[in-house]
Amino acid sequence: MRVLWLCNMIMPMIAEQLGLEASNKEGWLSGLASVTLDQGHENEIELAVAFPGPDQLFPPGQTFCMRTITVRGRELKCFGFREDVSRPEIYDQGLEESMKWIIDFWKPDMVHCFGTEYPHTLAMCRAFPDKSRLLISLQGLCAVYAECYFADLPTEVIRSVTLRDVLKKDSLREQQRKFVMRGVMEKEAVKLAGNIAGRTAWDHFYTKEWNSKARYFVMNETLRESFYGAVWDRKSCIPHSVFLSQGDYPIKGFHYMLKALPKILETFPDTKVYVAGNSIINYGTLKQKLKISAYGRYLRRLIRENGLQDAVVMLGRLEEGQMRERYLKSHLFVCCSSIENSPNSLGEAMLLGVPCVSADVGGIPSIFTGGGDGIMYEGFRVGLNNESNLKAVSEKLAKSVIEMWQNESALEIYGKNARKHAEKTHDPVQNYRIMTEIYAEITE
């Protein structure tokens, strides 16, 4: 069986062999690919991978290319194509030509698209002739994220713009509009696909709403390899430290945490919040001041007005090993997003046994049990008044953090329960088996 994977970015293991810079994102796919290649003689899967590639991968004037690498002693065909991933709201008709070239060259028995967030998925859905052998794995859903994008931000913040926002045409309203545009392409892709793989009641609901004829399969994700094995230890963590895996756009809810923090500090004055990922609040140089966004400026205002300068630490982008160590050092992992499907960051924290607090939004209740795995609080709700709901959600978040730290024995039980739950959800052997069963059913 010839299978083509369409990925949102180059896998780290492929980038390494091709001498290209790798992203930390979607590193879990490398693990899944390795297992698939290792089991190739048993599963009879011939795997090829397609992805948007950097300029240095292509000969001058060429929009697609093929490279062959060896992984785990097996040959792997890698197809790169040109795509402006910095503008995922723009559909490039030329992508369809690239997809057709890849399809004609590899002649796959089926195509598996990982995610709907980029135009290449729609291009593949249009180009691949047999829709009954087309599988899309849902990750986030841009169309729904657009409805939750402002995440209870005050109206004046949503309307505000900075010089950076004007020059880049990237104000908060424009950012939300781009998600709407991506959502239009996403819905068309889902409507074209004969098969959808999801993992939560939330994504199942939208699959049925957008394409009731598609076959829906439940397929959980396998996480990055280094998160299996290590276990959180209360004695080794930094007391009253909170870890957020991201905070650079409103959906991730960093502002909820900043609004909650003064109340938490009243009970636990030594609390510190550590935030990984791209920092949008840097303001030390003229260049940083010119580059600040409206959302970054609002975050800075919350920090300044509430005297939180010593309570917030921006960590920047962390490598896989650094992320793991930060989880293990933390007294609590918090997912305060306004919307998620099943965030890998929460899964990683649970798998390590880190105590977790999470907003009850999107697909999270399908992977995290409030009262069993940790504490879940009511988060963003579409249609509620953003000003009053920002206050209400932040108060619930603060109450949940305080409750967690006031009961250390329950905190450790939560961590153990979360680990057991995540070991089932993210079981590499089970998830690989289910994937191959789905492939067999699609191609029978």
Side-chain angles (χ1 to χ4, degrees):
M1 179 198 317
R2 284 196 162 198
V3 178
L4 175 65
W5 284 4
L6 179 64
C7 305
N8 288 338
M9 56 194 64
I10 187 170
M11 289 183 203
M13 72 174 189
I14 294 175
E16 183 180 345
Q17 291 218 27
L18 295 178
L20 301 171
E21 185 177 348
S23 167
N24 290 327
K25 295 181 179 180
E26 299 196 6
W28 60 273
L29 272 175
S30 289
L32 185 58
S34 296
V35 175
T36 304
L37 292 167
D38 283 345
Q39 302 297 321
H41 296 297
E42 294 181 17
N43 59 38
E44 297 182 343
I45 292 174
E46 291 182 71
L47 182 65
V49 181
F51 49 83
D55 289 341
Q56 60 265 40
L57 189 62
F58 305 95
Q62 194 165 312
T63 58
F64 41 77
C65 66
M66 189 276 290
R67 299 285 187 273
T68 302
I69 63 173
T70 301
V71 179
R72 315 286 246 201
R74 296 201 62 191
E75 192 177 90
L76 178 65
K77 288 282 191 298
C78 303
F79 296 95
F81 55 88
R82 287 187 188 272
E83 180 180 26
D84 186 357
V85 292
S86 67
R87 302 183 67 192
E89 73 281 5
I90 304 298
Y91 186 79
D92 178 1
Q93 199 73 33
L95 281 170
E96 290 181 41
E97 181 184 348
S98 297
M99 298 303 130
K100 287 175 182 175
W101 181 86
I102 295 169
I103 292 166
D104 290 342
F105 187 101
W106 181 242
K107 294 180 173 56
D109 295 303
M110 66 164 286
V111 173
H112 186 174
C113 305
F114 289 90
T116 55
E117 301 95 326
Y118 290 87
H120 57 244
T121 295
L122 175 55
M124 179 60 79
C125 290
R126 288 177 173 177
F128 192 62
D130 189 349
K131 311 307 181 192
S132 69
R133 294 191 170 212
L134 185 62
L135 172 67
I136 291 178
S137 281
L138 298 179
Q139 294 177 176
L141 293 178
C142 295
V144 188
Y145 282 19
E147 299 176 13
C148 311
Y149 191 81
F150 296 134
D152 292 320
L153 290 174
T155 302
E156 73 271 13
V157 175
I158 295 171
R159 291 175 176 169
S160 67
V161 294
T162 63
L163 178 62
R164 173 257 178 212
D165 297 339
V166 173
L167 294 176
K168 297 190 72 172
K169 297 181 180 179
D170 194 43
S171 67
L172 282 165
R173 287 190 181 277
E174 287 166 325
Q175 290 170 24
Q176 191 264 355
R177 182 179 61 85
K178 291 172 186 176
F179 267 83
V180 171
M181 294 168 69
R182 294 167 75 178
V184 171
M185 292 183 280
E186 171 182 72
K187 285 184 179 180
E188 183 182 340
V190 170
K191 288 175 182 177
L192 286 171
N195 308 278
I196 304 294
R199 55 197 186 277
T200 66
W202 180 79
D203 68 36
H204 191 196
F205 171 83
Y206 285 102
T207 296
K208 292 304 177 185
E209 186 174 271
W210 297 347
N211 184 356
S212 59
K213 295 179 181 179
R215 287 190 293 180
Y216 181 89
F217 298 95
V218 176
M219 185 170 74
N220 289 316
E221 288 187 336
T222 297
L223 302 178
R224 294 182 286 184
E225 188 175 356
S226 65
F227 290 90
Y228 294 85
V231 182
W232 180 83
D233 181 357
R234 170 67 183 86
K235 297 174 184 176
S236 301
C237 76
I238 301 170
H240 305 136
S241 60
V242 175
F243 182 42
L244 273 60
S245 64
Q246 239 178 314
D248 58 351
Y249 65 116
I251 283 174
K252 295 303 176 182
F254 187 14
H255 54 289
Y256 290 120
M257 176 53 70
L258 293 178
K259 294 284 284 187
L261 197 46
K263 186 69 175 177
I264 298 169
L265 286 165
E266 289 177 11
T267 307
F268 299 101
D270 59 339
T271 299
K272 282 200 174 184
V273 176
Y274 295 83
V275 187
N278 180 39
S279 173
I280 61 168
I281 65 171
N282 295 338
Y283 211 65
T285 66
L286 177 60
K287 184 177 180 181
Q288 289 171 340
K289 291 177 182 178
L290 293 174
K291 289 178 66 176
I292 200 161
S293 65
Y295 183 56
R297 185 170 63 186
Y298 174 61
L299 296 176
R300 285 188 59 83
R301 191 179 91 198
L302 291 178
I303 292 170
R304 183 180 67 253
E305 290 179 352
N306 294 289
L308 303 175
Q309 291 87 343
D310 295 333
V312 176
V313 181
M314 306 304 293
L315 299 170
R317 296 179 183 177
L318 303 180
E319 300 296 327
E320 180 177 336
Q322 295 173 316
M323 281 289 286
R324 184 190 63 239
E325 293 311 307
R326 177 50 57 183
Y327 281 114
L328 295 172
K329 286 180 182 177
S330 302
H331 201 172
L332 191 64
F333 174 79
V334 171
C335 177
C336 45
S337 300
S338 64
I339 191 67
E340 293 280 0
N341 188 6
S342 63
N344 283 351
S345 56
L346 178 59
E348 289 171 347
M350 293 173 66
L351 193 57
L352 293 169
V354 181
C356 298
V357 164
S358 178
D360 178 1
V361 296
I364 287 177
S366 292
I367 68 160
F368 180 77
T369 306
D373 301 332
I375 296 177
M376 187 181 290
Y377 64 93
E378 187 176 3
F380 173 84
R381 292 293 183 268
V382 175
L384 296 181
N385 179 276
N386 58 329
E387 302 281 352
S388 58
N389 205 48
L390 173 59
K391 183 174 184 292
V393 171
S394 300
E395 287 176 351
K396 291 169 188 170
L397 170 55
K399 181 181 177 182
S400 298
V401 172
I402 292 168
E403 181 184 337
M404 184 70 89
W405 284 341
Q406 283 181 331
N407 191 341
E408 285 288 334
S409 59
L411 177 145
E412 296 209 24
I413 293 171
Y414 283 144
K416 290 176 181 177
N417 290 344
R419 180 173 169 80
K420 289 178 182 177
H421 190 172
E423 284 176 336
K424 294 179 181 177
T425 304
H426 306 291
D427 181 344
V429 175
Q430 175 76 350
N431 294 342
Y432 165 74
R433 182 185 63 78
I434 290 172
M435 183 190 76
T436 57
E437 288 175 355
I438 291 170
Y439 286 4
E441 186 171 341
I442 289 173
T443 57
E444 67 181 7

